[in-house]
Amino acid sequence: MTEREGTGTRERLIAAAADLIAASPGEDFSLREVCDAVGVKMPTLYHFFGSKQGLIDAVVERGFDLYLSEKSAMESSGDPIQDLRAGWDAHVTFGLAHPGFYTLMYGKVRPGYSPAAQSRPSRILGELTARAAEQGRLAVDPRQAAAHVLSTNIGVTLRQIILAEADPALSASVREGVISAITGGGAGSPHDAVGAVVEQAAAHPEVLGASETRLLIEWLRRLREGAPGRDRDDAAASPAGPAAE
């Protein structure tokens, strides 16, 4: 078998496993069925993947490739919080469209184990929360903010997959609750009141227009940083301040 033929066989085995998983989301699949679909013997499958888990890991990698290719097609709004909203919705949409992939990517839990491919979307999420922190938009550490978003996003998506029913109202409600929690919106202080206006503007850029919304957010951010009772030392010490990672 040439190297090119080997690569083609490996790809066909992954595709066959992915098809079986897509046909019966959440259910186990047979390696024999995978081999029969491709027309190879079991030793060939073990040659490429070593074990059933090796094949599953390759299918998970394929799922993340598909997920990230869809996300990369999205245009950034230029606002990290708005991009968190868009990313949340894209995550749910992908899960509902590809429940077989999704349940392998996020639904199969082994204590102490996280697929290496999970780090790629997590890195993108972390970059968004870091940008939000740099703009003074977060009330928590950016890493904690990313963890809040990802864990609830997965939970909402898995719930809809389990029920086999989309629930956009639930998803939007939980999404906005998480955004409010990580940005500190609605807590009642003057500082938080300014932050709430910032996030309200960011959530509805169509009202003022994208450029005007970005300008308003920058003005409000400066106002918040210069508000009485928030001196430079406080700002630097805050996880949402300029010194945040």
Side-chain angles (χ1 to χ4, degrees):
M1 181 184 296
T2 66
E3 182 177 348
R4 184 172 181 179
E5 290 172 335
T7 300
T9 300
R10 183 180 188 278
E11 290 300 306
R12 286 188 292 127
L13 286 166
I14 294 173
D19 288 343
L20 288 171
I21 290 166
S24 302
E27 297 183 13
D28 198 10
F29 65 94
S30 163
L31 292 183
R32 179 67 62 190
E33 288 181 282
V34 174
C35 290
D36 289 346
V38 177
V40 299
K41 301 297 184 181
M42 194 73 74
T44 300
L45 186 147
Y46 282 108
H47 167 73
F48 287 112
F49 303 105
S51 65
K52 186 172 186 177
Q53 186 59 49
L55 175 59
I56 290 173
D57 289 344
V59 174
V60 168
E61 183 81 25
R62 177 65 56 84
F64 277 107
D65 286 343
L66 178 59
Y67 174 49
L68 290 174
S69 70
E70 293 182 4
K71 283 183 72 71
S72 65
M74 299 168 50
E75 291 188 11
S76 171
S77 68
D79 179 273
I81 302 298
Q82 192 65 2
D83 286 348
L84 284 175
R85 287 187 171 92
W88 175 291
D89 293 342
H91 184 109
V92 173
T93 297
F94 176 86
L96 294 179
H98 308 282
F101 274 130
Y102 192 88
T103 52
L104 277 184
M105 292 161 62
Y106 289 112
K108 298 290 187 181
V109 177
R110 282 192 286 156
Y113 172 76
S114 177
Q118 279 188 4
S119 65
R120 291 186 287 159
S122 294
R123 185 167 56 249
I124 295 172
L125 176 59
E127 289 170 355
L128 286 177
T129 56
R131 282 177 49 207
E134 289 170 0
Q135 295 179 10
R137 305 277 294 281
L138 296 184
V140 299
D141 181 271
R143 289 181 291 265
Q144 185 180 357
H148 275 302
V149 172
L150 183 59
S151 59
T152 49
N153 207 177
I154 293 172
V156 165
T157 305
L158 285 174
R159 172 182 168 80
Q160 293 176 86
I161 291 174
I162 291 169
L163 297 179
E165 182 179 355
D167 192 342
L170 172 68
S171 181
S173 176
V174 176
R175 181 195 67 207
E176 293 310 305
V178 173
I179 294 295
S180 179
I182 66 174
T183 60
S189 71
H191 170 74
D192 291 325
V194 174
V197 175
V198 168
E199 301 316 327
Q200 181 73 5
H204 303 285
E206 72 282 357
V207 176
L208 298 177
S211 298
E212 291 80 0
T213 298
R214 284 195 293 270
L215 184 58
L216 175 62
I217 289 172
E218 176 61 19
W219 285 345
L220 290 171
R221 183 180 66 80
R222 293 182 187 179
L223 175 63
R224 179 169 57 180
E225 290 176 352
R230 183 176 172 84
D231 58 31
R232 293 182 181 273
D233 290 340
D234 289 341
S238 169
E245 296 180 2

